[in-house]
Amino acid sequence: MTIHIGAAPGDIAETVLMPGDPYRARWAAETFLDDAKLVNEVRGMLGFTGTYKGNRVTIQGSGMGMPSLSIYANELISQYSAQTLIRIGSCGGMQPHVSVRDVIIAMSATTITSPSSGIFREVNFAPTASYDLLAAAVAAAKTRGTTTHVGGIYSSDVFYAERPDLDEQMVRHGILGVEMEAAELYTLAARHGRRALAILTVSDHLQTGEALPAEDREQTFGDMVEIALEAAFS
Ligand code: HPA
Protein backbone atom coordinates (compact mmCIF):
# COMPACT_ATOMS: atom_id res chain seq x y z
CA MET A 1 0.00 0.00 0.00
CA THR A 2 1.12 3.52 -0.77
CA ILE A 3 -0.42 6.86 0.16
CA HIS A 4 -2.67 6.88 -2.90
CA ILE A 5 -2.83 3.23 -3.97
CA GLY A 6 -4.34 0.61 -1.67
CA ALA A 7 -3.19 -2.45 -3.64
CA ALA A 8 -1.13 -5.14 -1.93
CA PRO A 9 2.48 -5.29 -3.23
CA GLY A 10 1.89 -8.17 -5.66
CA ASP A 11 -1.43 -6.85 -6.93
CA ILE A 12 0.03 -4.44 -9.50
CA ALA A 13 1.36 -5.91 -12.76
CA GLU A 14 4.61 -4.81 -14.41
CA THR A 15 2.53 -3.43 -17.29
CA VAL A 16 0.15 -0.61 -16.39
CA LEU A 17 -2.33 1.18 -18.66
CA MET A 18 -3.32 4.60 -17.36
CA PRO A 19 -6.55 6.26 -18.50
CA GLY A 20 -7.32 9.62 -16.90
CA ASP A 21 -10.84 8.56 -16.00
CA PRO A 22 -11.22 5.84 -13.32
CA TYR A 23 -14.54 4.71 -14.82
CA ARG A 24 -12.77 4.12 -18.12
CA ALA A 25 -10.28 2.00 -16.20
CA ARG A 26 -13.19 -0.14 -15.03
CA TRP A 27 -14.76 -0.32 -18.49
CA ALA A 28 -11.46 -1.26 -20.16
CA ALA A 29 -10.67 -3.89 -17.52
CA GLU A 30 -14.14 -5.45 -17.76
CA THR A 31 -14.07 -5.36 -21.56
CA PHE A 32 -10.54 -6.46 -22.41
CA LEU A 33 -9.05 -8.31 -19.45
CA ASP A 34 -9.69 -11.80 -18.16
CA ASP A 35 -10.21 -12.24 -14.42
CA ALA A 36 -10.09 -8.48 -13.77
CA LYS A 37 -10.02 -7.76 -10.06
CA LEU A 38 -10.36 -4.38 -8.33
CA VAL A 39 -7.01 -3.60 -6.68
CA ASN A 40 -7.39 0.07 -5.80
CA GLU A 41 -10.23 2.39 -4.91
CA VAL A 42 -8.48 4.99 -2.77
CA ARG A 43 -10.11 8.38 -3.58
CA GLY A 44 -12.22 6.58 -6.19
CA MET A 45 -9.19 6.32 -8.51
CA LEU A 46 -10.02 2.78 -9.56
CA GLY A 47 -7.35 0.27 -10.53
CA PHE A 48 -7.86 -3.29 -11.81
CA THR A 49 -5.48 -6.16 -12.48
CA GLY A 50 -6.22 -9.05 -14.82
CA THR A 51 -4.70 -10.76 -17.82
CA TYR A 52 -4.62 -10.07 -21.55
CA LYS A 53 -3.79 -13.14 -23.65
CA GLY A 54 -2.24 -14.62 -20.52
CA ASN A 55 -0.13 -11.53 -19.66
CA ARG A 56 -0.72 -9.71 -16.38
CA VAL A 57 -1.79 -6.11 -16.74
CA THR A 58 -3.07 -3.38 -14.45
CA ILE A 59 -5.37 -0.61 -15.61
CA GLN A 60 -5.09 2.27 -13.13
CA GLY A 61 -6.77 5.69 -13.40
CA SER A 62 -4.35 8.64 -13.35
CA GLY A 63 -6.76 11.51 -12.84
CA MET A 64 -6.55 14.66 -14.95
CA GLY A 65 -3.42 16.76 -15.33
CA MET A 66 0.26 16.15 -14.73
CA PRO A 67 0.25 16.67 -10.92
CA SER A 68 -2.32 13.90 -10.52
CA LEU A 69 -0.66 11.53 -12.98
CA SER A 70 2.68 12.19 -11.29
CA ILE A 71 1.38 10.88 -7.95
CA TYR A 72 0.16 7.59 -9.43
CA ALA A 73 3.10 7.05 -11.80
CA ASN A 74 5.64 7.76 -9.04
CA GLU A 75 4.01 5.26 -6.69
CA LEU A 76 3.56 2.63 -9.42
CA ILE A 77 7.23 2.93 -10.37
CA SER A 78 8.90 3.36 -7.00
CA GLN A 79 6.74 1.20 -4.78
CA TYR A 80 5.15 -1.38 -7.10
CA SER A 81 7.92 -1.73 -9.73
CA ALA A 82 5.81 -1.00 -12.80
CA GLN A 83 8.07 -1.41 -15.85
CA THR A 84 5.83 -0.35 -18.73
CA LEU A 85 3.37 2.54 -18.37
CA ILE A 86 1.04 3.42 -21.22
CA ARG A 87 -1.28 6.38 -21.03
CA ILE A 88 -4.56 5.84 -22.85
CA GLY A 89 -6.54 9.04 -23.06
CA SER A 90 -8.19 11.69 -25.14
CA CYS A 91 -6.80 14.81 -26.74
CA GLY A 92 -7.83 17.84 -28.73
CA GLY A 93 -6.78 17.75 -32.40
CA MET A 94 -4.55 20.65 -33.54
CA GLN A 95 -3.87 19.99 -37.24
CA PRO A 96 -6.26 20.09 -40.21
CA HIS A 97 -5.32 16.52 -41.24
CA VAL A 98 -6.09 15.16 -37.75
CA SER A 99 -9.78 14.28 -37.28
CA VAL A 100 -12.00 13.37 -34.39
CA ARG A 101 -11.79 9.55 -33.77
CA ASP A 102 -8.22 9.35 -35.13
CA VAL A 103 -5.53 7.95 -32.86
CA ILE A 104 -2.36 9.89 -32.04
CA ILE A 105 0.74 8.06 -30.85
CA ALA A 106 2.89 10.62 -29.07
CA MET A 107 6.57 10.58 -30.01
CA SER A 108 7.32 13.62 -27.85
CA ALA A 109 5.41 15.85 -25.45
CA THR A 110 6.06 19.59 -25.31
CA THR A 111 5.19 21.53 -22.15
CA ILE A 112 5.39 24.97 -20.63
CA THR A 113 5.95 23.37 -17.26
CA SER A 114 5.39 20.07 -15.48
CA PRO A 115 5.81 18.75 -11.92
CA SER A 116 9.36 17.76 -12.96
CA SER A 117 10.32 21.11 -14.53
CA GLY A 118 12.03 22.39 -11.39
CA ILE A 119 14.85 19.84 -11.54
CA PHE A 120 15.94 20.90 -15.03
CA ARG A 121 16.51 24.61 -14.24
CA GLU A 122 17.58 26.31 -17.51
CA VAL A 123 17.37 23.12 -19.58
CA ASN A 124 14.31 22.34 -21.70
CA PHE A 125 14.22 18.57 -21.32
CA ALA A 126 12.53 16.79 -24.25
CA PRO A 127 10.08 14.17 -22.91
CA THR A 128 10.13 11.30 -25.40
CA ALA A 129 8.29 8.00 -25.82
CA SER A 130 10.07 4.64 -25.57
CA TYR A 131 10.90 3.72 -29.13
CA ASP A 132 10.14 -0.02 -28.92
CA LEU A 133 6.68 0.65 -27.50
CA LEU A 134 6.06 3.38 -30.06
CA ALA A 135 7.06 1.11 -32.96
CA ALA A 136 4.92 -1.74 -31.60
CA ALA A 137 1.91 0.55 -31.18
CA VAL A 138 2.28 1.88 -34.73
CA ALA A 139 2.40 -1.71 -36.03
CA ALA A 140 -0.67 -2.70 -33.95
CA ALA A 141 -2.61 0.32 -35.19
CA LYS A 142 -1.70 -0.52 -38.79
CA THR A 143 -2.85 -4.12 -38.35
CA ARG A 144 -6.19 -2.87 -36.99
CA GLY A 145 -6.56 -0.34 -39.80
CA THR A 146 -6.98 2.53 -37.32
CA THR A 147 -6.27 5.99 -38.74
CA THR A 148 -3.19 6.94 -36.76
CA HIS A 149 -0.83 9.90 -36.57
CA VAL A 150 2.61 9.73 -34.99
CA GLY A 151 4.42 12.85 -33.81
CA GLY A 152 4.63 15.55 -31.18
CA ILE A 153 1.86 16.50 -28.80
CA TYR A 154 1.44 19.34 -26.30
CA SER A 155 0.88 18.53 -22.60
CA SER A 156 -0.90 21.59 -21.25
CA ASP A 157 -1.70 22.54 -17.68
CA VAL A 158 -5.07 23.97 -18.60
CA PHE A 159 -8.12 22.63 -20.39
CA TYR A 160 -9.66 26.09 -20.57
CA ALA A 161 -6.74 27.87 -22.21
CA GLU A 162 -6.57 31.68 -22.26
CA ARG A 163 -3.58 31.98 -24.62
CA PRO A 164 -4.65 31.37 -28.23
CA ASP A 165 -1.20 32.56 -29.34
CA LEU A 166 0.36 29.51 -27.67
CA ASP A 167 -1.98 27.16 -29.51
CA GLU A 168 -1.02 28.95 -32.72
CA GLN A 169 2.68 28.30 -32.10
CA MET A 170 1.98 24.64 -31.39
CA VAL A 171 0.01 24.33 -34.64
CA ARG A 172 2.78 26.15 -36.55
CA HIS A 173 5.31 23.65 -35.24
CA GLY A 174 3.34 20.60 -36.27
CA ILE A 175 1.99 19.57 -32.87
CA LEU A 176 -0.75 17.03 -33.50
CA GLY A 177 -2.89 17.39 -30.39
CA VAL A 178 -3.21 18.74 -26.86
CA GLU A 179 -3.76 16.78 -23.65
CA MET A 180 -2.63 17.19 -20.05
CA GLU A 181 -0.52 14.22 -18.83
CA ALA A 182 1.98 12.64 -21.22
CA ALA A 183 5.03 14.87 -20.69
CA GLU A 184 5.25 14.06 -16.99
CA LEU A 185 4.79 10.33 -17.67
CA TYR A 186 7.65 10.37 -20.21
CA THR A 187 9.87 12.34 -17.84
CA LEU A 188 9.30 9.99 -14.91
CA ALA A 189 9.88 6.93 -17.10
CA ALA A 190 13.16 8.43 -18.34
CA ARG A 191 14.29 9.21 -14.79
CA HIS A 192 13.56 5.70 -13.53
CA GLY A 193 14.56 3.70 -16.62
CA ARG A 194 11.03 2.50 -17.41
CA ARG A 195 9.13 2.29 -20.71
CA ALA A 196 6.38 4.80 -21.44
CA LEU A 197 4.02 5.71 -24.24
CA ALA A 198 0.90 7.82 -24.69
CA ILE A 199 -1.79 6.68 -27.11
CA LEU A 200 -4.58 9.20 -27.54
CA THR A 201 -7.96 9.32 -29.21
CA VAL A 202 -8.90 12.69 -30.71
CA SER A 203 -12.10 13.57 -28.84
CA ASP A 204 -12.46 17.17 -30.00
CA HIS A 205 -10.82 19.53 -32.46
CA LEU A 206 -9.53 22.98 -31.57
CA GLN A 207 -9.88 24.42 -35.07
CA THR A 208 -13.06 22.81 -36.37
CA GLY A 209 -14.89 22.67 -33.01
CA GLU A 210 -15.96 19.10 -33.85
CA ALA A 211 -16.46 16.82 -30.84
CA LEU A 212 -16.87 13.06 -30.57
CA PRO A 213 -20.51 12.21 -29.83
CA ALA A 214 -20.89 10.47 -26.47
CA GLU A 215 -22.21 7.27 -28.08
CA ASP A 216 -19.05 6.93 -30.21
CA ARG A 217 -16.63 7.31 -27.35
CA GLU A 218 -16.67 3.71 -26.18
CA GLN A 219 -15.86 2.13 -29.53
CA THR A 220 -13.15 4.65 -30.32
CA PHE A 221 -11.66 4.29 -26.87
CA GLY A 222 -11.67 0.50 -27.32
CA ASP A 223 -9.43 0.70 -30.41
CA MET A 224 -6.88 2.60 -28.37
CA VAL A 225 -6.97 0.11 -25.48
CA GLU A 226 -6.35 -2.80 -27.84
CA ILE A 227 -3.48 -0.99 -29.55
CA ALA A 228 -1.95 -0.36 -26.11
CA LEU A 229 -2.35 -3.98 -25.00
CA GLU A 230 -0.92 -5.36 -28.25
CA ALA A 231 2.03 -2.95 -28.06
CA ALA A 232 2.78 -3.82 -24.45
CA PHE A 233 3.11 -7.54 -25.13
CA SER A 234 4.49 -7.64 -28.67
N1 HPA B 1 -7.28 20.33 -24.20
C1 HPA B 1 -6.62 19.69 -23.23
N2 HPA B 1 -6.81 18.41 -22.96
C2 HPA B 1 -7.71 17.74 -23.70
C3 HPA B 1 -8.42 18.36 -24.72
C4 HPA B 1 -8.18 19.71 -24.99
O1 HPA B 1 -8.78 20.32 -25.90
N3 HPA B 1 -9.26 17.43 -25.27
C5 HPA B 1 -9.05 16.28 -24.58
N4 HPA B 1 -8.11 16.47 -23.64
PDB file of all heavy atoms in Angstrom, residues 163-187:
ATOM      1  N   ARG A 163      -4.670  31.454 -23.794  1.00  0.00           N
ATOM      2  CA  ARG A 163      -3.577  31.979 -24.615  1.00  0.00           C
ATOM      3  C   ARG A 163      -3.653  31.381 -26.016  1.00  0.00           C
ATOM      4  O   ARG A 163      -2.886  30.474 -26.355  1.00  0.00           O
ATOM      5  CB  ARG A 163      -2.232  31.617 -23.966  1.00  0.00           C
ATOM      6  CG  ARG A 163      -1.894  32.372 -22.681  1.00  0.00           C
ATOM      7  CD  ARG A 163      -1.268  33.734 -22.972  1.00  0.00           C
ATOM      8  NE  ARG A 163      -0.140  33.652 -23.905  1.00  0.00           N
ATOM      9  CZ  ARG A 163       1.125  33.416 -23.540  1.00  0.00           C
ATOM     10  NH1 ARG A 163       1.438  33.237 -22.294  1.00  0.00           N
ATOM     11  NH2 ARG A 163       2.087  33.371 -24.442  1.00  0.00           N
ATOM     12  N   PRO A 164      -4.542  31.899 -26.862  1.00  0.00           N
ATOM     13  CA  PRO A 164      -4.651  31.366 -28.225  1.00  0.00           C
ATOM     14  C   PRO A 164      -3.344  31.470 -29.002  1.00  0.00           C
ATOM     15  O   PRO A 164      -3.082  30.653 -29.898  1.00  0.00           O
ATOM     16  CB  PRO A 164      -5.746  32.218 -28.878  1.00  0.00           C
ATOM     17  CG  PRO A 164      -6.100  33.296 -27.911  1.00  0.00           C
ATOM     18  CD  PRO A 164      -5.522  32.955 -26.586  1.00  0.00           C
ATOM     19  N   ASP A 165      -2.486  32.441 -28.643  1.00  0.00           N
ATOM     20  CA  ASP A 165      -1.199  32.564 -29.341  1.00  0.00           C
ATOM     21  C   ASP A 165      -0.321  31.324 -29.118  1.00  0.00           C
ATOM     22  O   ASP A 165       0.423  30.912 -30.009  1.00  0.00           O
ATOM     23  CB  ASP A 165      -0.463  33.830 -28.882  1.00  0.00           C
ATOM     24  CG  ASP A 165      -0.218  33.835 -27.380  1.00  0.00           C
ATOM     25  OD1 ASP A 165      -1.167  33.590 -26.608  1.00  0.00           O
ATOM     26  OD2 ASP A 165       0.941  34.059 -26.969  1.00  0.00           O
ATOM     27  N   LEU A 166      -0.431  30.717 -27.929  1.00  0.00           N
ATOM     28  CA  LEU A 166       0.357  29.508 -27.672  1.00  0.00           C
ATOM     29  C   LEU A 166      -0.116  28.355 -28.548  1.00  0.00           C
ATOM     30  O   LEU A 166       0.694  27.624 -29.121  1.00  0.00           O
ATOM     31  CB  LEU A 166       0.225  29.084 -26.202  1.00  0.00           C
ATOM     32  CG  LEU A 166       1.048  29.840 -25.180  1.00  0.00           C
ATOM     33  CD1 LEU A 166       0.776  29.273 -23.798  1.00  0.00           C
ATOM     34  CD2 LEU A 166       2.533  29.733 -25.519  1.00  0.00           C
ATOM     35  N   ASP A 167      -1.432  28.202 -28.629  1.00  0.00           N
ATOM     36  CA  ASP A 167      -1.981  27.157 -29.507  1.00  0.00           C
ATOM     37  C   ASP A 167      -1.491  27.370 -30.938  1.00  0.00           C
ATOM     38  O   ASP A 167      -1.120  26.422 -31.634  1.00  0.00           O
ATOM     39  CB  ASP A 167      -3.511  27.168 -29.484  1.00  0.00           C
ATOM     40  CG  ASP A 167      -4.063  26.644 -28.158  1.00  0.00           C
ATOM     41  OD1 ASP A 167      -3.294  26.037 -27.407  1.00  0.00           O
ATOM     42  OD2 ASP A 167      -5.264  26.856 -27.905  1.00  0.00           O
ATOM     43  N   GLU A 168      -1.479  28.636 -31.361  1.00  0.00           N
ATOM     44  CA  GLU A 168      -1.017  28.947 -32.723  1.00  0.00           C
ATOM     45  C   GLU A 168       0.416  28.493 -32.950  1.00  0.00           C
ATOM     46  O   GLU A 168       0.749  27.943 -33.998  1.00  0.00           O
ATOM     47  CB  GLU A 168      -1.071  30.462 -32.966  1.00  0.00           C
ATOM     48  CG  GLU A 168      -2.341  30.923 -33.634  1.00  0.00           C
ATOM     49  CD  GLU A 168      -2.425  32.447 -33.624  1.00  0.00           C
ATOM     50  OE1 GLU A 168      -1.410  33.112 -33.912  1.00  0.00           O
ATOM     51  OE2 GLU A 168      -3.512  32.950 -33.276  1.00  0.00           O
ATOM     52  N   GLN A 169       1.277  28.726 -31.956  1.00  0.00           N
ATOM     53  CA  GLN A 169       2.679  28.300 -32.103  1.00  0.00           C
ATOM     54  C   GLN A 169       2.785  26.780 -32.154  1.00  0.00           C
ATOM     55  O   GLN A 169       3.596  26.231 -32.900  1.00  0.00           O
ATOM     56  CB  GLN A 169       3.548  28.849 -30.964  1.00  0.00           C
ATOM     57  CG  GLN A 169       3.724  30.345 -30.975  1.00  0.00           C
ATOM     58  CD  GLN A 169       4.336  30.873 -32.278  1.00  0.00           C
ATOM     59  OE1 GLN A 169       4.975  30.144 -33.038  1.00  0.00           O
ATOM     60  NE2 GLN A 169       4.117  32.142 -32.562  1.00  0.00           N
ATOM     61  N   MET A 170       1.965  26.113 -31.366  1.00  0.00           N
ATOM     62  CA  MET A 170       1.975  24.644 -31.392  1.00  0.00           C
ATOM     63  C   MET A 170       1.572  24.152 -32.789  1.00  0.00           C
ATOM     64  O   MET A 170       2.216  23.284 -33.376  1.00  0.00           O
ATOM     65  CB  MET A 170       1.005  24.070 -30.343  1.00  0.00           C
ATOM     66  CG  MET A 170       1.382  24.330 -28.894  1.00  0.00           C
ATOM     67  SD  MET A 170       2.977  23.681 -28.437  1.00  0.00           S
ATOM     68  CE  MET A 170       3.866  25.179 -28.131  1.00  0.00           C
ATOM     69  N   VAL A 171       0.503  24.728 -33.316  1.00  0.00           N
ATOM     70  CA  VAL A 171       0.014  24.326 -34.643  1.00  0.00           C
ATOM     71  C   VAL A 171       1.099  24.584 -35.690  1.00  0.00           C
ATOM     72  O   VAL A 171       1.389  23.725 -36.534  1.00  0.00           O
ATOM     73  CB  VAL A 171      -1.288  25.094 -34.989  1.00  0.00           C
ATOM     74  CG1 VAL A 171      -1.700  24.828 -36.433  1.00  0.00           C
ATOM     75  CG2 VAL A 171      -2.403  24.706 -34.021  1.00  0.00           C
ATOM     76  N   ARG A 172       1.711  25.768 -35.608  1.00  0.00           N
ATOM     77  CA  ARG A 172       2.779  26.147 -36.554  1.00  0.00           C
ATOM     78  C   ARG A 172       3.931  25.163 -36.538  1.00  0.00           C
ATOM     79  O   ARG A 172       4.623  24.966 -37.531  1.00  0.00           O
ATOM     80  CB  ARG A 172       3.341  27.496 -36.116  1.00  0.00           C
ATOM     81  CG  ARG A 172       3.116  28.619 -37.041  1.00  0.00           C
ATOM     82  CD  ARG A 172       3.800  29.850 -36.487  1.00  0.00           C
ATOM     83  NE  ARG A 172       4.995  30.186 -37.194  1.00  0.00           N
ATOM     84  CZ  ARG A 172       6.038  30.820 -36.653  1.00  0.00           C
ATOM     85  NH1 ARG A 172       6.030  31.149 -35.382  1.00  0.00           N
ATOM     86  NH2 ARG A 172       7.067  31.117 -37.388  1.00  0.00           N
ATOM     87  N   HIS A 173       4.177  24.566 -35.373  1.00  0.00           N
ATOM     88  CA  HIS A 173       5.314  23.655 -35.235  1.00  0.00           C
ATOM     89  C   HIS A 173       4.899  22.191 -35.343  1.00  0.00           C
ATOM     90  O   HIS A 173       5.625  21.290 -34.905  1.00  0.00           O
ATOM     91  CB  HIS A 173       6.067  23.939 -33.924  1.00  0.00           C
ATOM     92  CG  HIS A 173       6.809  25.249 -33.975  1.00  0.00           C
ATOM     93  ND1 HIS A 173       6.198  26.451 -33.729  1.00  0.00           N
ATOM     94  CD2 HIS A 173       8.089  25.525 -34.312  1.00  0.00           C
ATOM     95  CE1 HIS A 173       7.087  27.429 -33.888  1.00  0.00           C
ATOM     96  NE2 HIS A 173       8.241  26.891 -34.241  1.00  0.00           N
ATOM     97  N   GLY A 174       3.727  21.959 -35.909  1.00  0.00           N
ATOM     98  CA  GLY A 174       3.338  20.601 -36.267  1.00  0.00           C
ATOM     99  C   GLY A 174       2.803  19.742 -35.143  1.00  0.00           C
ATOM    100  O   GLY A 174       2.654  18.520 -35.304  1.00  0.00           O
ATOM    101  N   ILE A 175       2.537  20.355 -33.981  1.00  0.00           N
ATOM    102  CA  ILE A 175       1.994  19.567 -32.866  1.00  0.00           C
ATOM    103  C   ILE A 175       0.629  19.004 -33.277  1.00  0.00           C
ATOM    104  O   ILE A 175      -0.222  19.717 -33.797  1.00  0.00           O
ATOM    105  CB  ILE A 175       1.883  20.461 -31.599  1.00  0.00           C
ATOM    106  CG1 ILE A 175       3.284  20.830 -31.093  1.00  0.00           C
ATOM    107  CG2 ILE A 175       1.049  19.793 -30.512  1.00  0.00           C
ATOM    108  CD1 ILE A 175       4.115  19.684 -30.567  1.00  0.00           C
ATOM    109  N   LEU A 176       0.455  17.707 -33.008  1.00  0.00           N
ATOM    110  CA  LEU A 176      -0.748  17.028 -33.504  1.00  0.00           C
ATOM    111  C   LEU A 176      -1.960  17.251 -32.612  1.00  0.00           C
ATOM    112  O   LEU A 176      -3.091  17.332 -33.105  1.00  0.00           O
ATOM    113  CB  LEU A 176      -0.481  15.521 -33.606  1.00  0.00           C
ATOM    114  CG  LEU A 176       0.620  15.102 -34.583  1.00  0.00           C
ATOM    115  CD1 LEU A 176       0.954  13.619 -34.392  1.00  0.00           C
ATOM    116  CD2 LEU A 176       0.180  15.375 -36.034  1.00  0.00           C
ATOM    117  N   GLY A 177      -1.741  17.296 -31.297  1.00  0.00           N
ATOM    118  CA  GLY A 177      -2.886  17.392 -30.390  1.00  0.00           C
ATOM    119  C   GLY A 177      -2.472  17.862 -29.013  1.00  0.00           C
ATOM    120  O   GLY A 177      -1.271  17.868 -28.677  1.00  0.00           O
ATOM    121  N   VAL A 178      -3.472  18.240 -28.209  1.00  0.00           N
ATOM    122  CA  VAL A 178      -3.206  18.738 -26.860  1.00  0.00           C
ATOM    123  C   VAL A 178      -3.918  17.861 -25.833  1.00  0.00           C
ATOM    124  O   VAL A 178      -5.073  17.479 -26.030  1.00  0.00           O
ATOM    125  CB  VAL A 178      -3.627  20.222 -26.719  1.00  0.00           C
ATOM    126  CG1 VAL A 178      -5.080  20.443 -27.155  1.00  0.00           C
ATOM    127  CG2 VAL A 178      -3.427  20.750 -25.301  1.00  0.00           C
ATOM    128  N   GLU A 179      -3.170  17.506 -24.777  1.00  0.00           N
ATOM    129  CA  GLU A 179      -3.757  16.780 -23.650  1.00  0.00           C
ATOM    130  C   GLU A 179      -3.070  17.302 -22.396  1.00  0.00           C
ATOM    131  O   GLU A 179      -2.491  18.387 -22.439  1.00  0.00           O
ATOM    132  CB  GLU A 179      -3.647  15.249 -23.841  1.00  0.00           C
ATOM    133  CG  GLU A 179      -2.272  14.735 -24.169  1.00  0.00           C
ATOM    134  CD  GLU A 179      -1.390  14.507 -22.984  1.00  0.00           C
ATOM    135  OE1 GLU A 179      -1.553  13.474 -22.329  1.00  0.00           O
ATOM    136  OE2 GLU A 179      -0.465  15.332 -22.719  1.00  0.00           O
ATOM    137  N   MET A 180      -3.103  16.578 -21.290  1.00  0.00           N
ATOM    138  CA  MET A 180      -2.631  17.189 -20.050  1.00  0.00           C
ATOM    139  C   MET A 180      -1.749  16.279 -19.171  1.00  0.00           C
ATOM    140  O   MET A 180      -1.560  16.585 -17.999  1.00  0.00           O
ATOM    141  CB  MET A 180      -3.844  17.696 -19.239  1.00  0.00           C
ATOM    142  CG  MET A 180      -4.662  18.730 -20.002  1.00  0.00           C
ATOM    143  SD  MET A 180      -6.076  19.355 -19.085  1.00  0.00           S
ATOM    144  CE  MET A 180      -5.248  20.186 -17.743  1.00  0.00           C
ATOM    145  N   GLU A 181      -1.234  15.181 -19.700  1.00  0.00           N
ATOM    146  CA  GLU A 181      -0.520  14.224 -18.830  1.00  0.00           C
ATOM    147  C   GLU A 181       0.782  13.644 -19.374  1.00  0.00           C
ATOM    148  O   GLU A 181       1.686  13.300 -18.592  1.00  0.00           O
ATOM    149  CB  GLU A 181      -1.449  13.032 -18.483  1.00  0.00           C
ATOM    150  CG  GLU A 181      -2.630  13.359 -17.617  1.00  0.00           C
ATOM    151  CD  GLU A 181      -3.825  13.911 -18.394  1.00  0.00           C
ATOM    152  OE1 GLU A 181      -3.808  13.786 -19.647  1.00  0.00           O
ATOM    153  OE2 GLU A 181      -4.742  14.478 -17.799  1.00  0.00           O
ATOM    154  N   ALA A 182       0.913  13.489 -20.678  1.00  0.00           N
ATOM    155  CA  ALA A 182       1.983  12.636 -21.223  1.00  0.00           C
ATOM    156  C   ALA A 182       3.395  13.101 -20.878  1.00  0.00           C
ATOM    157  O   ALA A 182       4.275  12.272 -20.623  1.00  0.00           O
ATOM    158  CB  ALA A 182       1.837  12.538 -22.746  1.00  0.00           C
ATOM    159  N   ALA A 183       3.654  14.405 -20.876  1.00  0.00           N
ATOM    160  CA  ALA A 183       5.034  14.872 -20.687  1.00  0.00           C
ATOM    161  C   ALA A 183       5.594  14.421 -19.340  1.00  0.00           C
ATOM    162  O   ALA A 183       6.763  14.021 -19.245  1.00  0.00           O
ATOM    163  CB  ALA A 183       5.095  16.393 -20.798  1.00  0.00           C
ATOM    164  N   GLU A 184       4.759  14.468 -18.314  1.00  0.00           N
ATOM    165  CA  GLU A 184       5.246  14.056 -16.990  1.00  0.00           C
ATOM    166  C   GLU A 184       5.467  12.539 -16.955  1.00  0.00           C
ATOM    167  O   GLU A 184       6.438  12.055 -16.363  1.00  0.00           O
ATOM    168  CB  GLU A 184       4.265  14.491 -15.903  1.00  0.00           C
ATOM    169  CG  GLU A 184       4.673  14.093 -14.490  1.00  0.00           C
ATOM    170  CD  GLU A 184       5.928  14.796 -13.958  1.00  0.00           C
ATOM    171  OE1 GLU A 184       6.489  15.664 -14.647  1.00  0.00           O
ATOM    172  OE2 GLU A 184       6.347  14.448 -12.835  1.00  0.00           O
ATOM    173  N   LEU A 185       4.603  11.786 -17.613  1.00  0.00           N
ATOM    174  CA  LEU A 185       4.791  10.330 -17.668  1.00  0.00           C
ATOM    175  C   LEU A 185       6.120  10.001 -18.351  1.00  0.00           C
ATOM    176  O   LEU A 185       6.901   9.168 -17.851  1.00  0.00           O
ATOM    177  CB  LEU A 185       3.629   9.672 -18.417  1.00  0.00           C
ATOM    178  CG  LEU A 185       3.731   8.153 -18.548  1.00  0.00           C
ATOM    179  CD1 LEU A 185       3.638   7.475 -17.182  1.00  0.00           C
ATOM    180  CD2 LEU A 185       2.643   7.616 -19.478  1.00  0.00           C
ATOM    181  N   TYR A 186       6.404  10.647 -19.479  1.00  0.00           N
ATOM    182  CA  TYR A 186       7.649  10.374 -20.211  1.00  0.00           C
ATOM    183  C   TYR A 186       8.869  10.769 -19.367  1.00  0.00           C
ATOM    184  O   TYR A 186       9.893  10.094 -19.380  1.00  0.00           O
ATOM    185  CB  TYR A 186       7.669  11.141 -21.534  1.00  0.00           C
ATOM    186  CG  TYR A 186       6.736  10.610 -22.607  1.00  0.00           C
ATOM    187  CD1 TYR A 186       5.861   9.559 -22.346  1.00  0.00           C
ATOM    188  CD2 TYR A 186       6.730  11.154 -23.877  1.00  0.00           C
ATOM    189  CE1 TYR A 186       5.014   9.070 -23.322  1.00  0.00           C
ATOM    190  CE2 TYR A 186       5.889  10.674 -24.876  1.00  0.00           C
ATOM    191  CZ  TYR A 186       5.025   9.633 -24.600  1.00  0.00           C
ATOM    192  OH  TYR A 186       4.188   9.154 -25.568  1.00  0.00           O
ATOM    193  N   THR A 187       8.748  11.866 -18.652  1.00  0.00           N
ATOM    194  CA  THR A 187       9.874  12.340 -17.845  1.00  0.00           C
ATOM    195  C   THR A 187      10.158  11.381 -16.689  1.00  0.00           C
ATOM    196  O   THR A 187      11.317  11.035 -16.410  1.00  0.00           O
ATOM    197  CB  THR A 187       9.584  13.759 -17.316  1.00  0.00           C
ATOM    198  OG1 THR A 187       9.309  14.607 -18.437  1.00  0.00           O
ATOM    199  CG2 THR A 187      10.756  14.317 -16.531  1.00  0.00           C
TER     200      THR A 187
END
